[in-house]
Amino acid sequence: MSKDYHYDYLVIGSGIAGLSAALQLSKHGKTAIISKASIHESATNLAQGGIAAAMTKTDTPDYHFEDTLKAGDGLCDEKAVKFLVEEGPERVRELIALGANFDKVDGDYDFTKEAAHSKRRILHVGDSTGKEIKKTLGNAVLNEALTTFFPSTFVKELIIQNGECVGCVAIRNHTPIHFYAKSSIIATGGCGQIFSKSTNPSIATGDGIAIAYRAGCKVQDMEFVQFHPTTLALGDKKPISIFLITEAIRGEGAILRNINGDRFMLDYHPDAELAPRDVVARSIYQESQKTKNHVYLDLSPITQELSKRFPTIYERCMESGIDITREFIPVSPAAHYFMGGVQTNEKGQTNIPRLYAAGETASLGLHGANRLASNSLLDGLVFGHASALNMIKENEQPIIQDALIIKAPKSNKNTTSKIRAARHTIKSIMWRNVSIIRNKKDLNTARQGLDDLSWLLDITTIDDKILEVQNMLTVSQLIVKSALQREESRGAHFREDFPKKNPAWKKRTIL
Ligand code: FAD
Ligand code: SIN
């Protein structure tokens, strides 16, 4: 039997975008926050470097605007960027008023720097900024009387009636639940788990994007996946998510060296270690190809006490036998952030009435072809809030038809190992053929390999592990399709068969 719940608002996901939306919504109506995991499992919770906002005397939203556009390599939506940089400081001040305790030095906020920022404008809490933000927003939201939090509840599909989104079907304790509301927002984060090497948490399987696409949403910029240049390279050990070494470490002065101890980034870009993220990731890749080895981060130029400024990295490296106060850190790139996703506007609206999206799931062209570091926490905060204000304006309850009864299909134990193998296959296809350096041949190999897994999409199930793999497959197929279409190199999308930017391609791929 399935259950029915009725709310004013549904928030799918409890990262920064979902919580930022829920904070506003729960002041105006009954709000359900649905999350497939606990509140602690999100990319938000893992964020290290910080949150960018033009808040110092020497900085302005205009500088932040320019830096964002430059990193986005000609594809940023300028209206969206303007909205972000102008609203950002106010949203961050609200976060501080709620209790977010960003680091200070001598009574002033300690703004740090990351690649491609012309100013020090990144607020942080050591190297675990995301935890502080999640705690602050989480406490505020869960204290609201009209909020109900549903952890361990997997959203499977949207309910579309008369062309509008009137809710979703979720699975909790192997039981389907129908949630109905007058408007819903998808804030399910990114899809880094489709790659073998990723900094993303296990929840990042692209569910919201796949669910929205199946319901009829447009998706855009799907070819743009950001690879972070520096993750801890530990040889053959392959954890689910790979440990990030924050870019702020380079912002504070760390230098990249090859296996021979030579600084190499100046050979690739005048901004060296602080060149845009895509440039640094590709340079590391190329340098590693040349030397057949990792590259290293040399932290010796940093003047701050490393165990205090970067305590998480200090401890994690120590556990792996690397004392960062004396030794170089071996690093290599991994999939990190998704610029593409469900097409939205600045109001958070998708092309389906009553359905919104925000955060890493959404794509409004804000980040263009390559996101500026520390702009995504700000994105979730600003556009989660903006979406909520628009959802609140949408006052009327939809007319909901009778609930569809979902029967739990019989589980098929034989499929478990096949599904696990398929998950692994998708990840390795994507990492081998659709990562930092792409070309037509590899992309076609990926397309064929993914098509061979199409049987997965025919399985009707309420098993969330199978649903996740289906979502991973759908998102991977969309990425490959867009990557094949874009016959040029721009931002994070690098095609060695089309190594230059093509002005004719200064447009979005929309599927
Ligand atoms: P998330 O925070 O990932 O939250 C997604 C939520 O959706 C989770 O609650 C999840 O359980 C839920 N969910 C997913 N699928 C379903 C489903 N089917 N049903 C129900 N719930 C579902 N950005 C910065 O700006 N600064 C940084 O310093 C920074 N550091 C980072 C470090 C790491 C290691 C990583 C991985 C990312 C970092 N980023 C950083 C990027 C940034 O953290 C993310 O882009 C941002 O937090 C995404 O927020 P979100 O709310 O969109 O998604
Ligand atoms: C980092 O700390 O390097 C990640 C920052 C980001 O992804 O914006």
Side-chain angles (χ1 to χ4, degrees), residues 48-49 114 228 244-248 277 336 371 373-376:
Q48 292 188 357
E114 286 183 70
H228 197 291
L244 181 77
I245 307 292
T246 178
E247 200 156 280
R277 196 170 272 184
H336 180 62
R371 174 181 63 96
S374 286
N375 261 0
S376 52

Side-chain angles (χ1 to χ4, degrees), residues 12-19 34-39 41-52 114 129 153-156 187-190 199-201 203-205 207-208 211 242 244 246 336-337 358-361 371-378 380 471:
I12 308 175
S14 57
I16 190 166
L19 292 175
I34 310 168
S35 184
K36 72 175 175 182
S38 81
I39 201 162
E41 286 170 78
S42 62
T44 300
N45 195 46
L46 294 179
Q48 292 188 357
I51 183 163
E114 286 183 70
T129 311
T153 306
F154 187 101
V155 173
K156 174 184 181 292
T188 50
T199 62
N200 285 197
I203 55 102
T205 47
D207 298 348
I211 291 165
I242 285 173
L244 181 77
T246 178
H336 180 62
Y337 181 82
E360 203 168 327
T361 304
R371 174 181 63 96
L372 184 67
S374 286
N375 261 0
S376 52
L377 288 175
L378 194 69
N471 294 334

